[in-house]
Amino acid sequence: THRVSWTAWLCLALAASAVADPPAPRSAAPAALQWMTPAVEAPRVSYHSFESRAAGTRVSYHLYTPAAYAREPDRRFPVVYWLHGSGGGVQGIAPLSRLVDDAIEAGKVPPFLVVFVNGLRLGMYVDWKDGRAPLETMIVQELVPHIDARHRTLATREGRLLDGFSMGGYGAARLGFKHPDKFRAVSIMGAGPMQETLDRTPRASRKQADELLQEVYGGEQAQFRNVSPRRHATDNAAVIARDSLVRMVIGSRDETYGANLAFHEHLVALGIPHDWIVVEGVGHDPLRLLRSSGDAHWAFYRRAFE
């Protein structure tokens, strides 16, 4: 029996890291928004920032470039936009970039760039109701054009793949399904919150749920539903079914399994083709999920970039 949990933001793992940052302190005052993260030092990973009009400040991101990027100066490359889980995701950049680099060097997947998006500690990849954190606008309208202008990308929807774990899986689903004209492929891993209401679960108190609902969604369940992956999949089902590649990956022991199963069934009911991959014996652990998925993970990337 699996317990349903919306607590992508309370899970012990960051996106692509089995070790979480300490929980953010609770305060009645709004938390500071960390638009500039610390720089991560890792092979083939560089640190960048750009001026965001939406955020009203500079916003950082990290970029992985494969060895072929330097060897072939006239070549353009597809891009994976990686959306991290709660906590900021900085700790996950080095291990995930090594995993990608090993797969590319082994010939499991063609070379591609990875943009490690700054989604804030609890940004939810949505424009906040009060306007303080316009994450969606920053990513779709500013970061993507910036990447295409500054780096040698395949600057079309066919050259872009959204991937993410936990809160990032939720973000990949909602951004990919809302903007199918921008992203051809959508990978949804261990995603949450995927259910229809932001409510108390075994891993979060009602107070914590209410705080997140208030800060990001203006305290309105209707707003949470209106910006949800479920709503965007429903609104754009015909386009997604015709033009997009979609997959869901979940561990059989992940507490978000039930909510992900329900979302999978929602996509089936909408007629949206997608891969549904259940990795046996794995909980809410992104690195183990990726490694245990074996070639299925890179097979989806190959299909997306063929």
Side-chain angles (χ1 to χ4, degrees), residues 65-120:
T65 54
Y69 192 84
R71 288 197 308 261
E72 304 176 52
D74 296 326
R75 181 175 177 179
R76 292 187 171 272
F77 296 82
V79 184
V80 172
Y81 287 85
W82 177 262
L83 308 185
H84 61 75
S86 62
V90 172
Q91 287 181 320
I93 292 173
L96 181 59
S97 63
R98 285 194 296 269
L99 198 67
V100 168
D101 197 58
D102 289 346
I104 291 173
E105 291 301 304
K108 295 179 181 179
V109 66
F112 58 90
L113 309 182
V114 181
V115 177
F116 295 96
V117 177
N118 177 4
L120 305 178

Side-chain angles (χ1 to χ4, degrees), residues 2-7 191-196 230 248 250 254-266 276:
H2 302 278
R3 295 180 297 170
V4 178
S5 173
W6 60 270
T7 54
M194 302 302 282
Q195 69 281 359
E196 297 187 59
R230 181 176 290 263
M248 296 185 66
I250 187 71
D254 193 324
E255 286 189 324
T256 70
Y257 177 89
N260 276 268
L261 176 62
F263 190 76
H264 154 65
E265 293 170 345
H266 178 63
W276 167 247

Side-chain angles (χ1 to χ4, degrees), residues 5-201:
S5 173
W6 60 270
T7 54
W9 62 291
L10 285 179
C11 295
L12 294 178
L14 295 179
S17 174
V19 180
D21 286 341
R26 292 288 170 186
S27 170
L33 304 178
Q34 191 177 22
W35 292 108
M36 293 291 293
T37 68
V40 172
E41 294 185 6
R44 307 196 197 287
V45 173
S46 53
Y47 179 72
H48 306 266
S49 66
F50 71 100
E51 194 68 33
S52 168
R53 294 184 63 183
T57 188
R58 294 196 72 79
V59 177
S60 66
Y61 65 93
H62 288 79
L63 178 71
Y64 162 85
T65 54
Y69 192 84
R71 288 197 308 261
E72 304 176 52
D74 296 326
R75 181 175 177 179
R76 292 187 171 272
F77 296 82
V79 184
V80 172
Y81 287 85
W82 177 262
L83 308 185
H84 61 75
S86 62
V90 172
Q91 287 181 320
I93 292 173
L96 181 59
S97 63
R98 285 194 296 269
L99 198 67
V100 168
D101 197 58
D102 289 346
I104 291 173
E105 291 301 304
K108 295 179 181 179
V109 66
F112 58 90
L113 309 182
V114 181
V115 177
F116 295 96
V117 177
N118 177 4
L120 305 178
R121 291 185 65 84
L122 295 173
M124 305 307 293
Y125 302 102
V126 64
D127 287 351
W128 291 16
K129 184 71 183 292
D130 65 4
R132 270 200 316 130
L135 267 297
E136 179 181 331
T137 297
M138 181 273 289
I139 293 167
V140 177
Q141 297 185 20
E142 297 180 330
L143 178 60
V144 170
H146 168 84
I147 295 297
D148 288 338
R150 296 297 180 91
H151 307 286
R152 297 199 317 273
T153 68
L154 293 174
T156 66
R157 69 178 295 272
E158 288 75 21
R160 302 187 192 112
L161 184 153
L162 272 169
D163 203 349
F165 176 81
S166 196
M167 180 181 79
Y170 164 87
R174 70 167 309 278
L175 294 181
F177 292 161
K178 184 176 180 181
H179 302 282
D181 60 321
K182 302 292 185 184
F183 306 97
R184 180 189 184 220
V186 181
S187 171
I188 306 162
M189 304 183 66
M194 302 302 282
Q195 69 281 359
E196 297 187 59
T197 59
L198 196 55
D199 208 345
R200 180 177 180 175
T201 71

